[in-house]
Short mmCIF file of all heavy atoms in Angstrom, two decimals:
data_model
loop_
_atom_site.label_atom_id
_atom_site.label_comp_id
_atom_site.label_asym_id
_atom_site.label_seq_id
_atom_site.Cartn_x
_atom_site.Cartn_y
_atom_site.Cartn_z
N CYS B 199 56.24 155.29 52.15
CA CYS B 199 54.90 155.70 52.58
C CYS B 199 54.50 156.98 51.84
O CYS B 199 55.29 157.91 51.71
CB CYS B 199 54.91 155.95 54.08
SG CYS B 199 53.57 157.02 54.66
N ILE B 200 53.26 157.03 51.36
CA ILE B 200 52.78 158.22 50.66
C ILE B 200 51.55 158.80 51.36
O ILE B 200 50.76 159.51 50.75
CB ILE B 200 52.45 157.90 49.19
CG1 ILE B 200 51.56 156.67 49.08
CG2 ILE B 200 53.74 157.68 48.40
CD1 ILE B 200 51.00 156.44 47.71
N PHE B 201 51.40 158.50 52.65
CA PHE B 201 50.22 158.94 53.42
C PHE B 201 48.93 158.57 52.71
O PHE B 201 47.93 159.28 52.80
CB PHE B 201 50.27 160.46 53.66
CG PHE B 201 50.91 160.88 54.96
CD1 PHE B 201 51.14 162.23 55.24
CD2 PHE B 201 51.30 159.94 55.91
CE1 PHE B 201 51.75 162.62 56.44
CE2 PHE B 201 51.90 160.34 57.10
CZ PHE B 201 52.13 161.68 57.36
N CYS B 202 48.93 157.45 52.01
CA CYS B 202 47.72 156.94 51.33
C CYS B 202 47.03 158.00 50.46
O CYS B 202 45.81 158.20 50.58
CB CYS B 202 46.73 156.35 52.33
SG CYS B 202 47.22 154.75 52.99
N VAL B 203 47.77 158.67 49.60
CA VAL B 203 47.15 159.71 48.76
C VAL B 203 45.97 159.15 47.97
O VAL B 203 44.99 159.86 47.72
CB VAL B 203 48.17 160.34 47.78
CG1 VAL B 203 49.12 161.25 48.52
CG2 VAL B 203 48.93 159.30 47.02
N GLU B 204 46.07 157.86 47.58
CA GLU B 204 44.98 157.28 46.77
C GLU B 204 43.72 157.11 47.59
O GLU B 204 42.62 157.22 47.08
CB GLU B 204 45.44 155.97 46.13
CG GLU B 204 45.40 154.71 47.01
CD GLU B 204 46.51 154.66 48.07
OE1 GLU B 204 47.33 155.60 48.12
OE2 GLU B 204 46.53 153.68 48.83
N ARG B 205 43.88 156.87 48.91
CA ARG B 205 42.71 156.74 49.78
C ARG B 205 42.14 158.12 50.13
O ARG B 205 40.93 158.31 50.18
CB ARG B 205 43.07 155.98 51.06
CG ARG B 205 43.22 154.48 50.84
CD ARG B 205 43.76 153.81 52.09
NE ARG B 205 42.88 153.97 53.24
CZ ARG B 205 41.89 153.12 53.55
NH1 ARG B 205 41.68 152.07 52.80
NH2 ARG B 205 41.15 153.32 54.60
N LEU B 206 43.01 159.09 50.37
CA LEU B 206 42.55 160.45 50.67
C LEU B 206 41.69 160.99 49.53
O LEU B 206 40.65 161.62 49.76
CB LEU B 206 43.74 161.39 50.90
CG LEU B 206 44.62 161.09 52.12
CD1 LEU B 206 45.78 162.08 52.17
CD2 LEU B 206 43.83 161.17 53.41
N ALA B 207 42.10 160.68 48.28
CA ALA B 207 41.33 161.15 47.13
C ALA B 207 39.96 160.48 47.08
O ALA B 207 39.01 161.05 46.53
CB ALA B 207 42.10 160.87 45.84
N ASP B 208 39.85 159.28 47.64
CA ASP B 208 38.57 158.57 47.67
C ASP B 208 37.76 158.87 48.93
O ASP B 208 36.74 158.23 49.18
CB ASP B 208 38.80 157.05 47.58
CG ASP B 208 39.13 156.63 46.16
OD1 ASP B 208 38.89 157.43 45.25
OD2 ASP B 208 39.62 155.51 45.97
N GLY B 209 38.24 159.80 49.73
CA GLY B 209 37.49 160.17 50.93
C GLY B 209 37.75 159.27 52.12
O GLY B 209 36.94 159.21 53.05
N LEU B 210 38.86 158.53 52.10
CA LEU B 210 39.18 157.63 53.21
C LEU B 210 40.44 158.11 53.92
O LEU B 210 41.33 158.68 53.30
CB LEU B 210 39.42 156.21 52.68
CG LEU B 210 38.24 155.52 52.00
CD1 LEU B 210 38.72 154.32 51.21
CD2 LEU B 210 37.22 155.11 53.03
N MET B 211 40.50 157.86 55.22
CA MET B 211 41.70 158.16 55.99
C MET B 211 42.79 157.14 55.62
O MET B 211 42.48 156.04 55.15
CB MET B 211 41.40 158.06 57.48
CG MET B 211 40.84 159.33 58.07
SD MET B 211 42.08 160.65 58.03
CE MET B 211 41.40 161.79 59.22
N PRO B 212 44.05 157.48 55.86
CA PRO B 212 45.11 156.48 55.61
C PRO B 212 44.81 155.16 56.31
O PRO B 212 44.22 155.16 57.40
CB PRO B 212 46.36 157.15 56.18
CG PRO B 212 46.09 158.60 56.05
CD PRO B 212 44.61 158.76 56.26
N ALA B 213 45.22 154.06 55.69
CA ALA B 213 44.87 152.73 56.20
C ALA B 213 45.41 152.53 57.62
O ALA B 213 44.72 151.98 58.48
CB ALA B 213 45.43 151.67 55.27
N CYS B 214 46.64 153.01 57.89
CA CYS B 214 47.22 152.80 59.21
C CYS B 214 46.44 153.56 60.27
O CYS B 214 46.27 153.11 61.40
CB CYS B 214 48.68 153.23 59.21
SG CYS B 214 48.96 154.93 58.68
N VAL B 215 45.92 154.74 59.91
CA VAL B 215 45.15 155.55 60.86
C VAL B 215 43.88 154.80 61.24
O VAL B 215 43.50 154.73 62.41
CB VAL B 215 44.83 156.93 60.25
CG1 VAL B 215 43.90 157.72 61.16
CG2 VAL B 215 46.10 157.71 59.99
N GLU B 216 43.22 154.21 60.22
CA GLU B 216 42.01 153.45 60.49
C GLU B 216 42.29 152.24 61.37
O GLU B 216 41.50 151.90 62.24
CB GLU B 216 41.37 153.00 59.17
CG GLU B 216 40.40 154.01 58.62
CD GLU B 216 39.66 153.49 57.40
OE1 GLU B 216 39.75 152.28 57.11
OE2 GLU B 216 38.98 154.30 56.75
N ALA B 217 43.42 151.58 61.12
CA ALA B 217 43.71 150.33 61.84
C ALA B 217 44.26 150.58 63.24
O ALA B 217 44.32 149.67 64.05
CB ALA B 217 44.70 149.50 61.04
N SER B 218 44.65 151.82 63.54
CA SER B 218 45.40 152.07 64.77
C SER B 218 44.51 152.24 65.99
O SER B 218 45.02 152.34 67.11
CB SER B 218 46.25 153.32 64.61
OG SER B 218 45.41 154.46 64.54
N LYS B 219 43.20 152.31 65.80
CA LYS B 219 42.26 152.52 66.90
C LYS B 219 42.63 153.76 67.72
O LYS B 219 42.72 153.71 68.95
CB LYS B 219 42.21 151.29 67.82
CG LYS B 219 41.71 150.04 67.10
CD LYS B 219 41.58 148.88 68.07
CE LYS B 219 41.12 147.62 67.36
NZ LYS B 219 41.31 146.42 68.17
N GLY B 220 42.90 154.84 67.05
CA GLY B 220 43.18 156.10 67.74
C GLY B 220 44.65 156.34 68.05
O GLY B 220 45.01 157.39 68.56
N GLY B 221 45.51 155.38 67.74
CA GLY B 221 46.94 155.53 68.01
C GLY B 221 47.61 156.48 67.05
O GLY B 221 48.62 157.10 67.38
N LEU B 222 47.06 156.57 65.84
CA LEU B 222 47.60 157.50 64.84
C LEU B 222 46.53 158.52 64.52
O LEU B 222 45.38 158.16 64.25
CB LEU B 222 48.01 156.74 63.57
CG LEU B 222 49.08 155.66 63.73
CD1 LEU B 222 49.24 154.89 62.43
CD2 LEU B 222 50.40 156.26 64.14
N ILE B 223 46.90 159.79 64.60
CA ILE B 223 45.94 160.86 64.33
C ILE B 223 46.46 161.64 63.14
O ILE B 223 47.63 162.01 63.09
CB ILE B 223 45.77 161.77 65.57
CG1 ILE B 223 45.30 160.91 66.76
CG2 ILE B 223 44.76 162.87 65.30
CD1 ILE B 223 46.21 160.94 67.93
N PHE B 224 45.58 161.86 62.17
CA PHE B 224 45.99 162.45 60.91
C PHE B 224 45.15 163.68 60.61
O PHE B 224 43.96 163.71 60.88
CB PHE B 224 45.82 161.41 59.79
CG PHE B 224 46.32 161.84 58.46
CD1 PHE B 224 47.68 161.84 58.18
CD2 PHE B 224 45.44 162.24 57.46
CE1 PHE B 224 48.15 162.23 56.93
CE2 PHE B 224 45.91 162.63 56.21
CZ PHE B 224 47.26 162.62 55.95
N GLY B 225 45.78 164.73 60.09
CA GLY B 225 45.01 165.92 59.74
C GLY B 225 45.91 167.03 59.23
O GLY B 225 47.10 166.84 59.00
N ASP B 226 45.31 168.21 59.07
CA ASP B 226 46.01 169.36 58.50
C ASP B 226 46.48 170.27 59.64
O ASP B 226 45.67 170.84 60.36
CB ASP B 226 45.05 170.11 57.58
CG ASP B 226 45.74 171.28 56.89
OD1 ASP B 226 46.98 171.36 56.98
OD2 ASP B 226 45.04 172.09 56.28
N LEU B 227 47.79 170.43 59.75
CA LEU B 227 48.34 171.28 60.82
C LEU B 227 48.07 172.75 60.56
O LEU B 227 48.17 173.58 61.45
CB LEU B 227 49.86 171.07 60.92
CG LEU B 227 50.34 169.98 61.89
CD1 LEU B 227 51.85 169.99 61.96
CD2 LEU B 227 49.75 170.19 63.27
N ASP B 228 47.74 173.09 59.32
CA ASP B 228 47.45 174.48 58.98
C ASP B 228 46.04 174.87 59.41
O ASP B 228 45.71 176.05 59.49
CB ASP B 228 47.61 174.65 57.47
CG ASP B 228 47.72 176.10 57.07
OD1 ASP B 228 48.56 176.79 57.65
OD2 ASP B 228 46.93 176.53 56.21
N ASP B 229 45.21 173.85 59.66
CA ASP B 229 43.83 174.07 60.06
C ASP B 229 43.74 174.02 61.59
O ASP B 229 43.94 172.97 62.19
CB ASP B 229 42.97 172.97 59.40
CG ASP B 229 41.55 172.95 59.96
OD1 ASP B 229 41.17 173.91 60.64
OD2 ASP B 229 40.83 171.97 59.69
N HIS B 230 43.45 175.16 62.23
CA HIS B 230 43.52 175.22 63.68
C HIS B 230 42.30 174.63 64.39
O HIS B 230 42.14 174.77 65.59
CB HIS B 230 43.75 176.67 64.13
CG HIS B 230 45.15 177.12 63.80
ND1 HIS B 230 45.70 178.26 64.27
CD2 HIS B 230 46.10 176.55 63.03
CE1 HIS B 230 46.93 178.40 63.80
NE2 HIS B 230 47.18 177.37 63.05
N THR B 231 41.43 173.98 63.63
CA THR B 231 40.34 173.23 64.27
C THR B 231 40.64 171.74 64.23
O THR B 231 39.88 170.95 64.78
CB THR B 231 39.01 173.49 63.55
OG1 THR B 231 39.16 173.06 62.19
CG2 THR B 231 38.62 174.95 63.59
N SER B 232 41.72 171.35 63.58
CA SER B 232 42.00 169.92 63.42
C SER B 232 42.57 169.34 64.71
O SER B 232 43.16 170.04 65.53
CB SER B 232 42.98 169.70 62.27
OG SER B 232 44.25 170.20 62.64
N GLU B 233 42.36 168.03 64.85
CA GLU B 233 42.82 167.37 66.07
C GLU B 233 44.34 167.37 66.16
O GLU B 233 44.91 167.54 67.23
CB GLU B 233 42.27 165.95 66.11
CG GLU B 233 42.24 165.38 67.52
CD GLU B 233 41.74 163.95 67.56
OE1 GLU B 233 41.09 163.51 66.58
OE2 GLU B 233 42.05 163.26 68.54
N VAL B 234 45.00 167.18 65.02
CA VAL B 234 46.46 167.18 65.06
C VAL B 234 47.00 168.51 65.55
O VAL B 234 47.94 168.57 66.34
CB VAL B 234 47.10 166.83 63.69
CG1 VAL B 234 47.09 165.34 63.43
CG2 VAL B 234 46.46 167.58 62.56
N TRP B 235 46.37 169.59 65.11
CA TRP B 235 46.86 170.91 65.54
C TRP B 235 46.66 171.08 67.05
O TRP B 235 47.54 171.58 67.75
CB TRP B 235 46.14 172.03 64.79
CG TRP B 235 46.70 173.38 65.15
CD1 TRP B 235 47.82 173.96 64.65
CD2 TRP B 235 46.19 174.28 66.15
NE1 TRP B 235 48.04 175.17 65.24
CE2 TRP B 235 47.05 175.40 66.17
CE3 TRP B 235 45.09 174.26 67.00
CZ2 TRP B 235 46.85 176.49 67.01
CZ3 TRP B 235 44.88 175.34 67.84
CH2 TRP B 235 45.76 176.44 67.85
N LYS B 236 45.49 170.63 67.52
CA LYS B 236 45.20 170.76 68.96
C LYS B 236 46.24 170.01 69.78
O LYS B 236 46.71 170.51 70.81
CB LYS B 236 43.80 170.23 69.26
CG LYS B 236 42.70 171.22 68.87
CD LYS B 236 41.32 170.61 69.06
CE LYS B 236 40.27 171.46 68.39
NZ LYS B 236 39.04 170.70 68.14
N ILE B 237 46.60 168.80 69.34
CA ILE B 237 47.57 168.01 70.10
C ILE B 237 48.95 168.65 70.03
O ILE B 237 49.60 168.89 71.05
CB ILE B 237 47.62 166.57 69.56
CG1 ILE B 237 46.27 165.88 69.79
CG2 ILE B 237 48.74 165.78 70.24
CD1 ILE B 237 46.18 164.54 69.11
N VAL B 238 49.39 168.96 68.80
CA VAL B 238 50.75 169.46 68.62
C VAL B 238 50.94 170.81 69.30
O VAL B 238 52.01 171.12 69.83
CB VAL B 238 51.09 169.52 67.11
CG1 VAL B 238 52.38 170.26 66.86
CG2 VAL B 238 51.16 168.12 66.52
N SER B 239 49.87 171.63 69.33
CA SER B 239 50.02 172.97 69.90
C SER B 239 49.85 172.99 71.41
O SER B 239 50.18 173.98 72.05
CB SER B 239 49.01 173.92 69.25
OG SER B 239 47.70 173.49 69.54
N SER B 240 49.29 171.92 71.99
CA SER B 240 49.04 172.00 73.43
C SER B 240 49.77 170.93 74.24
O SER B 240 49.90 171.06 75.45
CB SER B 240 47.53 171.87 73.69
OG SER B 240 47.09 170.60 73.29
N LYS B 241 50.25 169.88 73.60
CA LYS B 241 50.88 168.81 74.35
C LYS B 241 52.34 168.66 73.97
O LYS B 241 52.77 169.18 72.94
CB LYS B 241 50.13 167.49 74.12
CG LYS B 241 48.79 167.54 74.81
CD LYS B 241 47.95 166.35 74.53
CE LYS B 241 46.64 166.49 75.30
NZ LYS B 241 45.59 165.66 74.76
N PHE B 242 53.06 167.89 74.78
CA PHE B 242 54.48 167.73 74.52
C PHE B 242 54.70 166.61 73.49
O PHE B 242 54.39 165.46 73.74
CB PHE B 242 55.24 167.39 75.80
CG PHE B 242 56.70 167.20 75.55
CD1 PHE B 242 57.50 168.27 75.20
CD2 PHE B 242 57.27 165.93 75.63
CE1 PHE B 242 58.85 168.09 74.94
CE2 PHE B 242 58.62 165.76 75.36
CZ PHE B 242 59.41 166.84 75.02
N THR B 243 55.18 167.01 72.33
CA THR B 243 55.47 166.02 71.29
C THR B 243 56.92 166.14 70.87
O THR B 243 57.53 167.21 71.00
CB THR B 243 54.59 166.25 70.04
OG1 THR B 243 54.74 167.60 69.63
CG2 THR B 243 53.14 165.95 70.32
N ILE B 244 57.48 165.03 70.40
CA ILE B 244 58.85 165.09 69.87
C ILE B 244 58.83 164.61 68.42
O ILE B 244 57.91 163.91 67.99
CB ILE B 244 59.84 164.24 70.71
CG1 ILE B 244 59.33 162.81 70.85
CG2 ILE B 244 60.07 164.87 72.06
CD1 ILE B 244 60.33 161.90 71.54
N ARG B 245 59.84 165.04 67.70
CA ARG B 245 59.99 164.59 66.31
C ARG B 245 61.37 163.99 66.14
O ARG B 245 62.27 164.21 66.95
CB ARG B 245 59.81 165.77 65.35
CG ARG B 245 58.40 166.26 65.27
CD ARG B 245 58.27 167.36 64.26
NE ARG B 245 58.96 168.58 64.67
CZ ARG B 245 59.14 169.63 63.87
NH1 ARG B 245 58.70 169.60 62.63
NH2 ARG B 245 59.78 170.70 64.30
N ARG B 246 61.54 163.25 65.04
CA ARG B 246 62.81 162.56 64.82
C ARG B 246 63.84 163.51 64.21
O ARG B 246 63.55 164.23 63.26
CB ARG B 246 62.62 161.37 63.90
CG ARG B 246 61.67 160.32 64.44
CD ARG B 246 61.51 159.18 63.47
NE ARG B 246 62.78 158.47 63.30
CZ ARG B 246 62.99 157.59 62.33
NH1 ARG B 246 62.05 157.33 61.45
NH2 ARG B 246 64.14 156.97 62.24
N LYS B 247 65.05 163.49 64.76
CA LYS B 247 66.20 164.18 64.16
C LYS B 247 65.91 165.61 63.71
O LYS B 247 66.22 165.99 62.58
CB LYS B 247 66.74 163.36 62.98
CG LYS B 247 67.13 161.94 63.38
CD LYS B 247 67.78 161.20 62.23
CE LYS B 247 68.06 159.75 62.63
NZ LYS B 247 68.61 158.94 61.57
N THR B 248 65.32 166.40 64.61
CA THR B 248 64.98 167.77 64.23
C THR B 248 66.22 168.61 63.97
O THR B 248 66.16 169.62 63.27
CB THR B 248 64.16 168.46 65.34
OG1 THR B 248 64.81 168.19 66.59
CG2 THR B 248 62.75 167.93 65.38
N GLU B 249 67.36 168.18 64.55
CA GLU B 249 68.60 168.96 64.38
C GLU B 249 69.04 169.03 62.91
O GLU B 249 69.82 169.88 62.53
CB GLU B 249 69.72 168.38 65.25
CG GLU B 249 70.25 167.01 64.83
CD GLU B 249 69.41 165.84 65.34
OE1 GLU B 249 68.28 166.09 65.83
OE2 GLU B 249 69.86 164.70 65.21
N LEU B 250 68.50 168.15 62.07
CA LEU B 250 68.88 168.16 60.66
C LEU B 250 68.10 169.20 59.85
O LEU B 250 68.42 169.44 58.69
CB LEU B 250 68.67 166.76 60.05
CG LEU B 250 69.50 165.65 60.69
CD1 LEU B 250 69.14 164.31 60.07
CD2 LEU B 250 70.99 165.92 60.52
N GLY B 251 67.06 169.75 60.45
CA GLY B 251 66.33 170.82 59.78
C GLY B 251 65.38 170.38 58.69
O GLY B 251 64.94 171.21 57.89
N THR B 252 65.05 169.10 58.64
CA THR B 252 64.12 168.67 57.59
C THR B 252 62.66 168.93 57.96
O THR B 252 61.79 168.82 57.11
CB THR B 252 64.28 167.16 57.28
OG1 THR B 252 63.82 166.41 58.40
CG2 THR B 252 65.71 166.80 56.97
N GLN B 253 62.39 169.28 59.22
CA GLN B 253 61.04 169.56 59.70
C GLN B 253 60.06 168.42 59.43
O GLN B 253 59.14 168.54 58.62
CB GLN B 253 60.50 170.86 59.06
CG GLN B 253 61.29 172.09 59.39
CD GLN B 253 61.05 172.56 60.83
OE1 GLN B 253 60.26 171.97 61.57
NE2 GLN B 253 61.76 173.60 61.23
N PRO B 254 60.24 167.31 60.15
CA PRO B 254 59.33 166.17 59.95
C PRO B 254 57.88 166.53 60.30
O PRO B 254 57.64 167.37 61.16
CB PRO B 254 59.86 165.12 60.95
CG PRO B 254 61.25 165.51 61.23
CD PRO B 254 61.28 167.00 61.14
N SER B 255 56.94 165.88 59.61
CA SER B 255 55.52 166.12 59.88
C SER B 255 54.90 164.99 60.69
O SER B 255 53.69 164.92 60.81
CB SER B 255 54.76 166.26 58.56
OG SER B 255 55.24 167.38 57.86
N VAL B 256 55.72 164.09 61.22
CA VAL B 256 55.22 163.05 62.09
C VAL B 256 55.66 163.38 63.51
O VAL B 256 56.84 163.51 63.79
CB VAL B 256 55.73 161.65 61.68
CG1 VAL B 256 55.25 160.59 62.67
CG2 VAL B 256 55.24 161.30 60.27
N TYR B 257 54.66 163.58 64.39
CA TYR B 257 54.91 164.00 65.77
C TYR B 257 54.63 162.84 66.71
O TYR B 257 53.64 162.13 66.54
CB TYR B 257 54.00 165.18 66.14
CG TYR B 257 54.34 166.45 65.39
CD1 TYR B 257 53.98 166.59 64.05
CD2 TYR B 257 55.02 167.50 66.00
CE1 TYR B 257 54.29 167.74 63.34
CE2 TYR B 257 55.33 168.66 65.30
CZ TYR B 257 54.97 168.77 63.98
OH TYR B 257 55.28 169.90 63.29
N TYR B 258 55.50 162.65 67.70
CA TYR B 258 55.32 161.57 68.66
C TYR B 258 54.85 162.13 69.98
O TYR B 258 55.54 162.92 70.62
CB TYR B 258 56.62 160.78 68.84
CG TYR B 258 56.99 160.00 67.59
CD1 TYR B 258 57.68 160.61 66.55
CD2 TYR B 258 56.60 158.68 67.46
CE1 TYR B 258 57.97 159.92 65.40
CE2 TYR B 258 56.91 157.96 66.31
CZ TYR B 258 57.59 158.59 65.28
OH TYR B 258 57.89 157.90 64.14
N LEU B 259 53.63 161.74 70.36
CA LEU B 259 53.07 162.13 71.64
C LEU B 259 53.53 161.08 72.64
O LEU B 259 53.02 159.97 72.67
CB LEU B 259 51.55 162.17 71.53
CG LEU B 259 50.73 162.59 72.76
CD1 LEU B 259 51.09 163.99 73.19
CD2 LEU B 259 49.25 162.50 72.44
N VAL B 260 54.57 161.43 73.42
CA VAL B 260 55.19 160.41 74.26
C VAL B 260 54.66 160.43 75.69
O VAL B 260 54.69 159.43 76.38
CB VAL B 260 56.73 160.55 74.28
CG1 VAL B 260 57.30 159.98 73.02
CG2 VAL B 260 57.15 161.99 74.47
N GLY B 261 54.16 161.57 76.15
CA GLY B 261 53.71 161.67 77.54
C GLY B 261 52.36 161.03 77.77
O GLY B 261 51.95 160.84 78.91
#
Side-chain angles (χ1 to χ4, degrees):
Chain B
C199 158
I200 50 169
F201 267 173
C202 286
V203 287
E204 81 286 0
R205 284 173 61 90
L206 295 178
D208 283 345
L210 298 164
M211 274 294 198
C214 57
V215 174
E216 271 187 10
S218 69
K219 297 184 182 165
L222 300 173
I223 301 121
F224 185 77
D226 183 11
L227 269 185
D228 196 52
D229 169 13
H230 289 191
T231 60
S232 69
E233 202 182 340
V234 280
W235 184 82
K236 282 175 193 160
I237 295 171
V238 169
S239 63
S240 64
K241 289 175 179 160
F242 179 69
T243 53
I244 54 174
R245 289 183 292 171
R246 299 179 64 193
K247 303 185 184 177
T248 47
E249 69 277 12
L250 299 176
T252 68
Q253 298 286 359
S255 297
V256 177
Y257 292 76
Y258 291 84
L259 181 60
V260 282

